[in-house]
Amino acid sequence: MDWLSETRIPVGKTAKAVFDWLQDHGAWFFDGLSEAMEQLIGWLLWALQAPPALAVIGAFVALTWLVQRSWKTALFVGLGFLFILNQGYWKQTTESLTLVLAACVLCMGLGVPVGIAAAHRPRLFRVMRPVLDLMQTLPTFVYLIPAIVFFGIGMVPGLIATVIFVLPAPIRLTHLGISSTPTELLEAVRAFGGTPRQTLWKVELPWAMPQIMAGLNQTIMLSLSMVVIAALVGANGLGVPVVRALNSVNTALGFESGFIIVVLAIMLDRMLRVGGK
């Protein structure tokens, strides 16, 4: 069986050759993309850190009330943010929220249109399915290698790795929602002269809205799961104290920062849990 291992397929060498070629010929694209991502991150950081902390908390509480129409949920979100402020993790929380919000903007902005196109073209979805499987099953640490090669160290490679890992969720859920629209409903719209654009906006998207919102919820949760991993490539946020606690075997710091991540995840989940409405 030695001959089988001696003539192995050059997967690693091929991947390295592809990355080297992209780095040599696509530097202009990656530099422009990095600049755009830095601008987006800068705007979000300014929006979360420039105003007083209590003003930002009040804005999140108001948003929760507008979405949920529940004073209990709004009170829970307010108390959660006040707890984070009390523990001294407000700056790290805003940095992690910046990463999460930027990932949501990119993933939903790309995932929803791609999911709609895949639902309308089954052959396209069959081609995309193995790619989506690869993006979700490939170890997340592997994404960090090309991210560092193309974008260096900082928030941008952490954001890029997060988007690659999270993007399949909104694509799959949007495809599920659009493709599950009842045939009878579509036939009724077409019988009354509805155009494809009207069918999409008036029928398919409203029908798929619970699945799309579930995709947004999954995007937020998966992005938070990447906070610690993104810290390994220089991304600021709540992952930094977790990594520091791991390196120094500091149980108190690790549990404290980890609990803040849990509180933030629960608050964001309660804020946007509107899939069943």
Side-chain angles (χ1 to χ4, degrees):
M1 297 297 291
D2 293 339
W3 62 271
L4 187 60
S5 61
E6 291 176 355
T7 58
R8 62 181 182 178
I9 301 173
V11 177
K13 293 181 178 179
T14 303
K16 184 179 183 303
V18 171
F19 289 142
D20 290 342
W21 186 88
L22 289 174
Q23 192 175 12
D24 293 337
H25 297 84
W28 59 271
F29 171 77
F30 295 112
D31 290 343
L33 182 61
S34 177
E35 181 66 25
M37 295 300 100
E38 287 177 357
Q39 290 290 334
L40 176 61
I41 291 171
W43 292 337
L44 291 172
L45 271 177
W46 179 86
L48 292 174
Q49 293 183 346
L54 292 178
V56 177
I57 293 173
F60 274 103
V61 171
L63 177 62
T64 304
W65 167 255
L66 290 174
V67 174
Q68 296 293 338
R69 295 295 180 180
S70 170
W71 67 268
K72 294 181 180 179
T73 306
L75 178 62
F76 172 76
V77 170
L79 292 176
F81 275 116
L82 289 176
F83 172 75
I84 293 174
L85 192 61
N86 171 263
Q87 294 296 302
Y89 283 88
W90 180 252
K91 184 175 184 295
Q92 293 90 334
T93 299
T94 56
E95 291 167 344
S96 292
L97 273 175
T98 297
L99 181 65
V100 171
L101 293 176
C104 287
V105 170
L106 295 175
C107 289
M108 298 305 291
L110 294 173
V112 173
V114 172
I116 293 172
H120 290 160
R121 299 169 180 81
R123 186 174 300 177
L124 173 63
F125 184 68
R126 286 196 295 271
V127 174
M128 289 171 51
R129 185 179 296 172
V131 179
L132 297 177
D133 293 339
L134 177 66
M135 292 169 66
Q136 286 188 304
T137 56
L138 196 67
T140 52
F141 287 96
V142 178
Y143 296 140
L144 300 180
I145 301 173
I148 294 174
V149 171
F150 295 138
F151 302 103
I153 300 295
M155 292 283 283
V156 173
L159 175 60
I160 296 298
T162 301
V163 169
I164 296 174
F165 175 67
V166 175
L167 186 58
I171 292 178
R172 289 184 185 276
L173 287 167
T174 302
H175 169 268
L176 174 63
I178 298 294
S179 60
S180 63
T181 306
T183 305
E184 297 82 1
L185 189 59
L186 295 175
E187 291 176 351
V189 174
R190 294 178 185 128
F192 282 97
T195 64
R197 183 185 297 272
Q198 291 172 331
T199 303
L200 173 64
W201 287 98
K202 300 294 185 180
V203 178
E204 291 179 329
L205 283 178
W207 181 271
M209 191 54 63
Q211 283 79 15
I212 293 175
M213 292 304 298
L216 176 60
N217 186 279
Q218 286 298 303
T219 298
I220 292 173
M221 296 299 107
L222 292 172
S223 298
L224 276 174
S225 71
M226 288 289 291
V227 165
V228 177
I229 297 175
L232 298 177
V233 293
N236 297 324
L238 292 169
V240 174
V242 174
V243 173
R244 189 181 300 124
L246 179 63
N247 292 333
S248 60
V249 198
N250 190 330
T251 306
L253 179 62
F255 183 83
E256 188 178 76
S257 53
F259 188 70
I260 295 296
I261 296 175
V262 172
V263 171
L264 182 61
I266 295 174
M267 288 191 302
L268 294 177
D269 177 71
R270 297 299 185 271
M271 285 176 61
L272 297 172
R273 184 173 288 182
V274 296
K277 292 187 178 181

PDB file of all heavy atoms in Angstrom, residues 138-174:
ATOM      1  N   LEU A 138     -15.696  22.827   6.781  1.00  0.00           N
ATOM      2  CA  LEU A 138     -14.252  23.059   6.873  1.00  0.00           C
ATOM      3  C   LEU A 138     -13.933  23.724   8.208  1.00  0.00           C
ATOM      4  O   LEU A 138     -14.612  24.661   8.615  1.00  0.00           O
ATOM      5  CB  LEU A 138     -13.802  23.956   5.724  1.00  0.00           C
ATOM      6  CG  LEU A 138     -12.300  24.014   5.436  1.00  0.00           C
ATOM      7  CD1 LEU A 138     -11.816  22.675   4.917  1.00  0.00           C
ATOM      8  CD2 LEU A 138     -12.001  25.100   4.399  1.00  0.00           C
ATOM      9  N   PRO A 139     -12.945  23.238   8.946  1.00  0.00           N
ATOM     10  CA  PRO A 139     -12.615  23.851  10.246  1.00  0.00           C
ATOM     11  C   PRO A 139     -12.381  25.352  10.116  1.00  0.00           C
ATOM     12  O   PRO A 139     -11.712  25.816   9.188  1.00  0.00           O
ATOM     13  CB  PRO A 139     -11.322  23.122  10.659  1.00  0.00           C
ATOM     14  CG  PRO A 139     -11.394  21.804   9.952  1.00  0.00           C
ATOM     15  CD  PRO A 139     -12.091  22.069   8.661  1.00  0.00           C
ATOM     16  N   THR A 140     -12.968  26.090  11.040  1.00  0.00           N
ATOM     17  CA  THR A 140     -12.918  27.551  10.944  1.00  0.00           C
ATOM     18  C   THR A 140     -11.498  28.091  11.018  1.00  0.00           C
ATOM     19  O   THR A 140     -11.216  29.161  10.471  1.00  0.00           O
ATOM     20  CB  THR A 140     -13.767  28.173  12.061  1.00  0.00           C
ATOM     21  OG1 THR A 140     -13.374  27.611  13.323  1.00  0.00           O
ATOM     22  CG2 THR A 140     -15.238  27.893  11.845  1.00  0.00           C
ATOM     23  N   PHE A 141     -10.599  27.369  11.685  1.00  0.00           N
ATOM     24  CA  PHE A 141      -9.215  27.833  11.769  1.00  0.00           C
ATOM     25  C   PHE A 141      -8.553  27.867  10.384  1.00  0.00           C
ATOM     26  O   PHE A 141      -7.637  28.647  10.157  1.00  0.00           O
ATOM     27  CB  PHE A 141      -8.403  26.943  12.704  1.00  0.00           C
ATOM     28  CG  PHE A 141      -8.734  27.130  14.153  1.00  0.00           C
ATOM     29  CD1 PHE A 141      -9.623  26.293  14.788  1.00  0.00           C
ATOM     30  CD2 PHE A 141      -8.177  28.166  14.882  1.00  0.00           C
ATOM     31  CE1 PHE A 141      -9.941  26.473  16.124  1.00  0.00           C
ATOM     32  CE2 PHE A 141      -8.482  28.360  16.217  1.00  0.00           C
ATOM     33  CZ  PHE A 141      -9.366  27.502  16.847  1.00  0.00           C
ATOM     34  N   VAL A 142      -9.039  27.000   9.479  1.00  0.00           N
ATOM     35  CA  VAL A 142      -8.460  26.975   8.138  1.00  0.00           C
ATOM     36  C   VAL A 142      -8.751  28.274   7.404  1.00  0.00           C
ATOM     37  O   VAL A 142      -7.932  28.745   6.602  1.00  0.00           O
ATOM     38  CB  VAL A 142      -9.015  25.760   7.359  1.00  0.00           C
ATOM     39  CG1 VAL A 142      -8.475  25.740   5.935  1.00  0.00           C
ATOM     40  CG2 VAL A 142      -8.650  24.465   8.072  1.00  0.00           C
ATOM     41  N   TYR A 143      -9.919  28.893   7.675  1.00  0.00           N
ATOM     42  CA  TYR A 143     -10.258  30.158   7.026  1.00  0.00           C
ATOM     43  C   TYR A 143      -9.282  31.268   7.410  1.00  0.00           C
ATOM     44  O   TYR A 143      -9.093  32.228   6.656  1.00  0.00           O
ATOM     45  CB  TYR A 143     -11.671  30.606   7.412  1.00  0.00           C
ATOM     46  CG  TYR A 143     -12.769  29.687   6.948  1.00  0.00           C
ATOM     47  CD1 TYR A 143     -13.852  29.408   7.763  1.00  0.00           C
ATOM     48  CD2 TYR A 143     -12.729  29.105   5.692  1.00  0.00           C
ATOM     49  CE1 TYR A 143     -14.870  28.570   7.342  1.00  0.00           C
ATOM     50  CE2 TYR A 143     -13.735  28.268   5.260  1.00  0.00           C
ATOM     51  CZ  TYR A 143     -14.812  28.003   6.092  1.00  0.00           C
ATOM     52  OH  TYR A 143     -15.805  27.184   5.661  1.00  0.00           O
ATOM     53  N   LEU A 144      -8.697  31.140   8.605  1.00  0.00           N
ATOM     54  CA  LEU A 144      -7.830  32.213   9.087  1.00  0.00           C
ATOM     55  C   LEU A 144      -6.529  32.308   8.287  1.00  0.00           C
ATOM     56  O   LEU A 144      -5.934  33.378   8.203  1.00  0.00           O
ATOM     57  CB  LEU A 144      -7.516  31.999  10.565  1.00  0.00           C
ATOM     58  CG  LEU A 144      -8.710  31.970  11.523  1.00  0.00           C
ATOM     59  CD1 LEU A 144      -8.235  31.751  12.947  1.00  0.00           C
ATOM     60  CD2 LEU A 144      -9.516  33.257  11.420  1.00  0.00           C
ATOM     61  N   ILE A 145      -6.095  31.187   7.699  1.00  0.00           N
ATOM     62  CA  ILE A 145      -4.814  31.192   6.981  1.00  0.00           C
ATOM     63  C   ILE A 145      -4.876  32.086   5.748  1.00  0.00           C
ATOM     64  O   ILE A 145      -4.077  33.025   5.619  1.00  0.00           O
ATOM     65  CB  ILE A 145      -4.400  29.752   6.620  1.00  0.00           C
ATOM     66  CG1 ILE A 145      -4.268  28.906   7.894  1.00  0.00           C
ATOM     67  CG2 ILE A 145      -3.088  29.752   5.836  1.00  0.00           C
ATOM     68  CD1 ILE A 145      -4.032  27.432   7.633  1.00  0.00           C
ATOM     69  N   PRO A 146      -5.820  31.857   4.803  1.00  0.00           N
ATOM     70  CA  PRO A 146      -5.874  32.790   3.663  1.00  0.00           C
ATOM     71  C   PRO A 146      -6.308  34.190   4.068  1.00  0.00           C
ATOM     72  O   PRO A 146      -5.910  35.173   3.415  1.00  0.00           O
ATOM     73  CB  PRO A 146      -6.911  32.149   2.728  1.00  0.00           C
ATOM     74  CG  PRO A 146      -7.720  31.267   3.607  1.00  0.00           C
ATOM     75  CD  PRO A 146      -6.790  30.765   4.661  1.00  0.00           C
ATOM     76  N   ALA A 147      -7.111  34.311   5.135  1.00  0.00           N
ATOM     77  CA  ALA A 147      -7.518  35.642   5.592  1.00  0.00           C
ATOM     78  C   ALA A 147      -6.301  36.457   6.016  1.00  0.00           C
ATOM     79  O   ALA A 147      -6.193  37.654   5.713  1.00  0.00           O
ATOM     80  CB  ALA A 147      -8.522  35.525   6.736  1.00  0.00           C
ATOM     81  N   ILE A 148      -5.373  35.820   6.723  1.00  0.00           N
ATOM     82  CA  ILE A 148      -4.149  36.514   7.130  1.00  0.00           C
ATOM     83  C   ILE A 148      -3.275  36.826   5.918  1.00  0.00           C
ATOM     84  O   ILE A 148      -2.692  37.908   5.812  1.00  0.00           O
ATOM     85  CB  ILE A 148      -3.378  35.660   8.154  1.00  0.00           C
ATOM     86  CG1 ILE A 148      -4.179  35.532   9.454  1.00  0.00           C
ATOM     87  CG2 ILE A 148      -2.012  36.268   8.444  1.00  0.00           C
ATOM     88  CD1 ILE A 148      -3.559  34.596  10.453  1.00  0.00           C
ATOM     89  N   VAL A 149      -3.195  35.867   4.972  1.00  0.00           N
ATOM     90  CA  VAL A 149      -2.358  36.067   3.789  1.00  0.00           C
ATOM     91  C   VAL A 149      -2.835  37.266   2.981  1.00  0.00           C
ATOM     92  O   VAL A 149      -2.043  38.098   2.521  1.00  0.00           O
ATOM     93  CB  VAL A 149      -2.363  34.786   2.924  1.00  0.00           C
ATOM     94  CG1 VAL A 149      -1.682  35.056   1.576  1.00  0.00           C
ATOM     95  CG2 VAL A 149      -1.650  33.657   3.649  1.00  0.00           C
ATOM     96  N   PHE A 150      -4.157  37.380   2.802  1.00  0.00           N
ATOM     97  CA  PHE A 150      -4.701  38.413   1.926  1.00  0.00           C
ATOM     98  C   PHE A 150      -4.966  39.744   2.638  1.00  0.00           C
ATOM     99  O   PHE A 150      -4.906  40.804   2.010  1.00  0.00           O
ATOM    100  CB  PHE A 150      -6.004  37.931   1.294  1.00  0.00           C
ATOM    101  CG  PHE A 150      -5.842  36.748   0.373  1.00  0.00           C
ATOM    102  CD1 PHE A 150      -6.748  35.709   0.394  1.00  0.00           C
ATOM    103  CD2 PHE A 150      -4.774  36.680  -0.504  1.00  0.00           C
ATOM    104  CE1 PHE A 150      -6.604  34.622  -0.453  1.00  0.00           C
ATOM    105  CE2 PHE A 150      -4.618  35.597  -1.354  1.00  0.00           C
ATOM    106  CZ  PHE A 150      -5.534  34.558  -1.325  1.00  0.00           C
ATOM    107  N   PHE A 151      -5.268  39.688   3.953  1.00  0.00           N
ATOM    108  CA  PHE A 151      -5.732  40.902   4.636  1.00  0.00           C
ATOM    109  C   PHE A 151      -4.901  41.276   5.862  1.00  0.00           C
ATOM    110  O   PHE A 151      -5.196  42.268   6.521  1.00  0.00           O
ATOM    111  CB  PHE A 151      -7.194  40.737   5.071  1.00  0.00           C
ATOM    112  CG  PHE A 151      -8.126  40.445   3.936  1.00  0.00           C
ATOM    113  CD1 PHE A 151      -8.594  39.163   3.722  1.00  0.00           C
ATOM    114  CD2 PHE A 151      -8.522  41.448   3.072  1.00  0.00           C
ATOM    115  CE1 PHE A 151      -9.447  38.886   2.675  1.00  0.00           C
ATOM    116  CE2 PHE A 151      -9.382  41.188   2.020  1.00  0.00           C
ATOM    117  CZ  PHE A 151      -9.845  39.895   1.815  1.00  0.00           C
ATOM    118  N   GLY A 152      -3.883  40.493   6.206  1.00  0.00           N
ATOM    119  CA  GLY A 152      -3.045  40.839   7.341  1.00  0.00           C
ATOM    120  C   GLY A 152      -3.714  40.523   8.667  1.00  0.00           C
ATOM    121  O   GLY A 152      -4.530  39.607   8.780  1.00  0.00           O
ATOM    122  N   ILE A 153      -3.372  41.311   9.691  1.00  0.00           N
ATOM    123  CA  ILE A 153      -3.860  41.099  11.047  1.00  0.00           C
ATOM    124  C   ILE A 153      -4.841  42.216  11.412  1.00  0.00           C
ATOM    125  O   ILE A 153      -4.641  43.371  11.053  1.00  0.00           O
ATOM    126  CB  ILE A 153      -2.688  41.078  12.055  1.00  0.00           C
ATOM    127  CG1 ILE A 153      -1.721  39.938  11.712  1.00  0.00           C
ATOM    128  CG2 ILE A 153      -3.205  40.893  13.474  1.00  0.00           C
ATOM    129  CD1 ILE A 153      -2.290  38.552  11.840  1.00  0.00           C
ATOM    130  N   GLY A 154      -5.891  41.862  12.138  1.00  0.00           N
ATOM    131  CA  GLY A 154      -6.843  42.878  12.601  1.00  0.00           C
ATOM    132  C   GLY A 154      -8.278  42.415  12.485  1.00  0.00           C
ATOM    133  O   GLY A 154      -8.559  41.207  12.408  1.00  0.00           O
ATOM    134  N   MET A 155      -9.194  43.375  12.455  1.00  0.00           N
ATOM    135  CA  MET A 155     -10.616  43.071  12.409  1.00  0.00           C
ATOM    136  C   MET A 155     -11.044  42.536  11.050  1.00  0.00           C
ATOM    137  O   MET A 155     -11.958  41.720  10.960  1.00  0.00           O
ATOM    138  CB  MET A 155     -11.425  44.329  12.741  1.00  0.00           C
ATOM    139  CG  MET A 155     -11.303  44.809  14.170  1.00  0.00           C
ATOM    140  SD  MET A 155     -12.267  43.820  15.337  1.00  0.00           S
ATOM    141  CE  MET A 155     -13.916  44.436  15.012  1.00  0.00           C
ATOM    142  N   VAL A 156     -10.404  42.995   9.972  1.00  0.00           N
ATOM    143  CA  VAL A 156     -10.842  42.606   8.631  1.00  0.00           C
ATOM    144  C   VAL A 156     -10.705  41.105   8.388  1.00  0.00           C
ATOM    145  O   VAL A 156     -11.662  40.469   7.930  1.00  0.00           O
ATOM    146  CB  VAL A 156     -10.082  43.410   7.564  1.00  0.00           C
ATOM    147  CG1 VAL A 156     -10.401  42.891   6.160  1.00  0.00           C
ATOM    148  CG2 VAL A 156     -10.446  44.884   7.663  1.00  0.00           C
ATOM    149  N   PRO A 157      -9.554  40.463   8.658  1.00  0.00           N
ATOM    150  CA  PRO A 157      -9.496  39.006   8.446  1.00  0.00           C
ATOM    151  C   PRO A 157     -10.472  38.249   9.333  1.00  0.00           C
ATOM    152  O   PRO A 157     -11.032  37.228   8.913  1.00  0.00           O
ATOM    153  CB  PRO A 157      -8.044  38.653   8.785  1.00  0.00           C
ATOM    154  CG  PRO A 157      -7.538  39.796   9.589  1.00  0.00           C
ATOM    155  CD  PRO A 157      -8.247  40.994   9.083  1.00  0.00           C
ATOM    156  N   GLY A 158     -10.698  38.739  10.563  1.00  0.00           N
ATOM    157  CA  GLY A 158     -11.705  38.103  11.412  1.00  0.00           C
ATOM    158  C   GLY A 158     -13.092  38.212  10.811  1.00  0.00           C
ATOM    159  O   GLY A 158     -13.885  37.254  10.858  1.00  0.00           O
ATOM    160  N   LEU A 159     -13.415  39.365  10.221  1.00  0.00           N
ATOM    161  CA  LEU A 159     -14.716  39.553   9.585  1.00  0.00           C
ATOM    162  C   LEU A 159     -14.851  38.665   8.351  1.00  0.00           C
ATOM    163  O   LEU A 159     -15.909  38.037   8.146  1.00  0.00           O
ATOM    164  CB  LEU A 159     -14.894  41.025   9.214  1.00  0.00           C
ATOM    165  CG  LEU A 159     -16.164  41.384   8.431  1.00  0.00           C
ATOM    166  CD1 LEU A 159     -17.409  41.014   9.225  1.00  0.00           C
ATOM    167  CD2 LEU A 159     -16.174  42.864   8.083  1.00  0.00           C
ATOM    168  N   ILE A 160     -13.814  38.594   7.534  1.00  0.00           N
ATOM    169  CA  ILE A 160     -13.870  37.770   6.324  1.00  0.00           C
ATOM    170  C   ILE A 160     -14.067  36.299   6.686  1.00  0.00           C
ATOM    171  O   ILE A 160     -14.900  35.605   6.094  1.00  0.00           O
ATOM    172  CB  ILE A 160     -12.597  37.959   5.488  1.00  0.00           C
ATOM    173  CG1 ILE A 160     -12.490  39.413   4.988  1.00  0.00           C
ATOM    174  CG2 ILE A 160     -12.574  36.989   4.323  1.00  0.00           C
ATOM    175  CD1 ILE A 160     -13.620  39.834   4.082  1.00  0.00           C
ATOM    176  N   ALA A 161     -13.309  35.797   7.670  1.00  0.00           N
ATOM    177  CA  ALA A 161     -13.462  34.408   8.093  1.00  0.00           C
ATOM    178  C   ALA A 161     -14.858  34.159   8.647  1.00  0.00           C
ATOM    179  O   ALA A 161     -15.454  33.096   8.411  1.00  0.00           O
ATOM    180  CB  ALA A 161     -12.402  34.061   9.139  1.00  0.00           C
ATOM    181  N   THR A 162     -15.405  35.123   9.378  1.00  0.00           N
ATOM    182  CA  THR A 162     -16.754  34.985   9.920  1.00  0.00           C
ATOM    183  C   THR A 162     -17.786  34.914   8.809  1.00  0.00           C
ATOM    184  O   THR A 162     -18.705  34.081   8.841  1.00  0.00           O
ATOM    185  CB  THR A 162     -17.072  36.168  10.855  1.00  0.00           C
ATOM    186  OG1 THR A 162     -16.117  36.192  11.923  1.00  0.00           O
ATOM    187  CG2 THR A 162     -18.468  36.047  11.433  1.00  0.00           C
ATOM    188  N   VAL A 163     -17.655  35.775   7.798  1.00  0.00           N
ATOM    189  CA  VAL A 163     -18.620  35.796   6.696  1.00  0.00           C
ATOM    190  C   VAL A 163     -18.594  34.473   5.930  1.00  0.00           C
ATOM    191  O   VAL A 163     -19.643  33.913   5.584  1.00  0.00           O
ATOM    192  CB  VAL A 163     -18.326  36.979   5.756  1.00  0.00           C
ATOM    193  CG1 VAL A 163     -19.126  36.867   4.465  1.00  0.00           C
ATOM    194  CG2 VAL A 163     -18.639  38.295   6.452  1.00  0.00           C
ATOM    195  N   ILE A 164     -17.407  33.946   5.662  1.00  0.00           N
ATOM    196  CA  ILE A 164     -17.308  32.676   4.934  1.00  0.00           C
ATOM    197  C   ILE A 164     -17.977  31.557   5.721  1.00  0.00           C
ATOM    198  O   ILE A 164     -18.689  30.709   5.153  1.00  0.00           O
ATOM    199  CB  ILE A 164     -15.838  32.336   4.645  1.00  0.00           C
ATOM    200  CG1 ILE A 164     -15.221  33.371   3.708  1.00  0.00           C
ATOM    201  CG2 ILE A 164     -15.712  30.948   4.027  1.00  0.00           C
ATOM    202  CD1 ILE A 164     -13.736  33.196   3.492  1.00  0.00           C
ATOM    203  N   PHE A 165     -17.789  31.544   7.038  1.00  0.00           N
ATOM    204  CA  PHE A 165     -18.358  30.489   7.869  1.00  0.00           C
ATOM    205  C   PHE A 165     -19.872  30.635   8.015  1.00  0.00           C
ATOM    206  O   PHE A 165     -20.611  29.645   8.054  1.00  0.00           O
ATOM    207  CB  PHE A 165     -17.686  30.523   9.248  1.00  0.00           C
ATOM    208  CG  PHE A 165     -18.285  29.558  10.240  1.00  0.00           C
ATOM    209  CD1 PHE A 165     -18.162  28.197  10.060  1.00  0.00           C
ATOM    210  CD2 PHE A 165     -18.963  30.031  11.352  1.00  0.00           C
ATOM    211  CE1 PHE A 165     -18.711  27.311  10.972  1.00  0.00           C
ATOM    212  CE2 PHE A 165     -19.520  29.161  12.265  1.00  0.00           C
ATOM    213  CZ  PHE A 165     -19.386  27.791  12.085  1.00  0.00           C
ATOM    214  N   VAL A 166     -20.376  31.867   8.067  1.00  0.00           N
ATOM    215  CA  VAL A 166     -21.776  32.121   8.388  1.00  0.00           C
ATOM    216  C   VAL A 166     -22.662  32.168   7.148  1.00  0.00           C
ATOM    217  O   VAL A 166     -23.858  31.848   7.212  1.00  0.00           O
ATOM    218  CB  VAL A 166     -21.902  33.433   9.187  1.00  0.00           C
ATOM    219  CG1 VAL A 166     -23.348  33.804   9.448  1.00  0.00           C
ATOM    220  CG2 VAL A 166     -21.152  33.320  10.514  1.00  0.00           C
ATOM    221  N   LEU A 167     -22.115  32.553   5.993  1.00  0.00           N
ATOM    222  CA  LEU A 167     -22.913  32.822   4.802  1.00  0.00           C
ATOM    223  C   LEU A 167     -23.843  31.679   4.381  1.00  0.00           C
ATOM    224  O   LEU A 167     -24.964  31.952   3.915  1.00  0.00           O
ATOM    225  CB  LEU A 167     -21.981  33.197   3.643  1.00  0.00           C
ATOM    226  CG  LEU A 167     -22.633  33.661   2.341  1.00  0.00           C
ATOM    227  CD1 LEU A 167     -23.515  34.870   2.583  1.00  0.00           C
ATOM    228  CD2 LEU A 167     -21.572  33.971   1.289  1.00  0.00           C
ATOM    229  N   PRO A 168     -23.448  30.406   4.496  1.00  0.00           N
ATOM    230  CA  PRO A 168     -24.379  29.350   4.071  1.00  0.00           C
ATOM    231  C   PRO A 168     -25.718  29.347   4.814  1.00  0.00           C
ATOM    232  O   PRO A 168     -26.733  28.927   4.230  1.00  0.00           O
ATOM    233  CB  PRO A 168     -23.598  28.062   4.360  1.00  0.00           C
ATOM    234  CG  PRO A 168     -22.176  28.457   4.277  1.00  0.00           C
ATOM    235  CD  PRO A 168     -22.115  29.849   4.820  1.00  0.00           C
ATOM    236  N   ALA A 169     -25.757  29.809   6.050  1.00  0.00           N
ATOM    237  CA  ALA A 169     -27.010  29.765   6.819  1.00  0.00           C
ATOM    238  C   ALA A 169     -28.102  30.621   6.186  1.00  0.00           C
ATOM    239  O   ALA A 169     -29.209  30.109   5.924  1.00  0.00           O
ATOM    240  CB  ALA A 169     -26.751  30.177   8.270  1.00  0.00           C
ATOM    241  N   PRO A 170     -27.885  31.929   5.907  1.00  0.00           N
ATOM    242  CA  PRO A 170     -28.967  32.687   5.257  1.00  0.00           C
ATOM    243  C   PRO A 170     -29.280  32.211   3.852  1.00  0.00           C
ATOM    244  O   PRO A 170     -30.436  32.295   3.423  1.00  0.00           O
ATOM    245  CB  PRO A 170     -28.427  34.123   5.263  1.00  0.00           C
ATOM    246  CG  PRO A 170     -26.964  34.009   5.424  1.00  0.00           C
ATOM    247  CD  PRO A 170     -26.746  32.797   6.256  1.00  0.00           C
ATOM    248  N   ILE A 171     -28.293  31.676   3.126  1.00  0.00           N
ATOM    249  CA  ILE A 171     -28.577  31.158   1.783  1.00  0.00           C
ATOM    250  C   ILE A 171     -29.521  29.964   1.867  1.00  0.00           C
ATOM    251  O   ILE A 171     -30.542  29.900   1.155  1.00  0.00           O
ATOM    252  CB  ILE A 171     -27.267  30.765   1.074  1.00  0.00           C
ATOM    253  CG1 ILE A 171     -26.420  32.003   0.765  1.00  0.00           C
ATOM    254  CG2 ILE A 171     -27.570  30.013  -0.224  1.00  0.00           C
ATOM    255  CD1 ILE A 171     -25.091  31.682   0.114  1.00  0.00           C
ATOM    256  N   ARG A 172     -29.215  29.018   2.739  1.00  0.00           N
ATOM    257  CA  ARG A 172     -30.045  27.808   2.854  1.00  0.00           C
ATOM    258  C   ARG A 172     -31.447  28.139   3.353  1.00  0.00           C
ATOM    259  O   ARG A 172     -32.437  27.618   2.828  1.00  0.00           O
ATOM    260  CB  ARG A 172     -29.371  26.811   3.795  1.00  0.00           C
ATOM    261  CG  ARG A 172     -28.119  26.151   3.243  1.00  0.00           C
ATOM    262  CD  ARG A 172     -27.597  25.120   4.214  1.00  0.00           C
ATOM    263  NE  ARG A 172     -26.345  24.532   3.808  1.00  0.00           N
ATOM    264  CZ  ARG A 172     -26.226  23.499   2.967  1.00  0.00           C
ATOM    265  NH1 ARG A 172     -27.312  22.958   2.441  1.00  0.00           N
ATOM    266  NH2 ARG A 172     -25.027  23.012   2.660  1.00  0.00           N
ATOM    267  N   LEU A 173     -31.559  28.988   4.354  1.00  0.00           N
ATOM    268  CA  LEU A 173     -32.870  29.279   4.925  1.00  0.00           C
ATOM    269  C   LEU A 173     -33.720  30.130   3.980  1.00  0.00           C
ATOM    270  O   LEU A 173     -34.946  29.949   3.916  1.00  0.00           O
ATOM    271  CB  LEU A 173     -32.705  29.960   6.280  1.00  0.00           C
ATOM    272  CG  LEU A 173     -32.240  29.004   7.385  1.00  0.00           C
ATOM    273  CD1 LEU A 173     -31.795  29.766   8.623  1.00  0.00           C
ATOM    274  CD2 LEU A 173     -33.352  28.031   7.759  1.00  0.00           C
ATOM    275  N   THR A 174     -33.094  31.055   3.255  1.00  0.00           N
ATOM    276  CA  THR A 174     -33.841  31.811   2.253  1.00  0.00           C
ATOM    277  C   THR A 174     -34.322  30.891   1.135  1.00  0.00           C
ATOM    278  O   THR A 174     -35.473  30.981   0.684  1.00  0.00           O
ATOM    279  CB  THR A 174     -32.970  32.934   1.669  1.00  0.00           C
ATOM    280  OG1 THR A 174     -32.537  33.799   2.718  1.00  0.00           O
ATOM    281  CG2 THR A 174     -33.755  33.746   0.646  1.00  0.00           C
TER     282      THR A 174
END
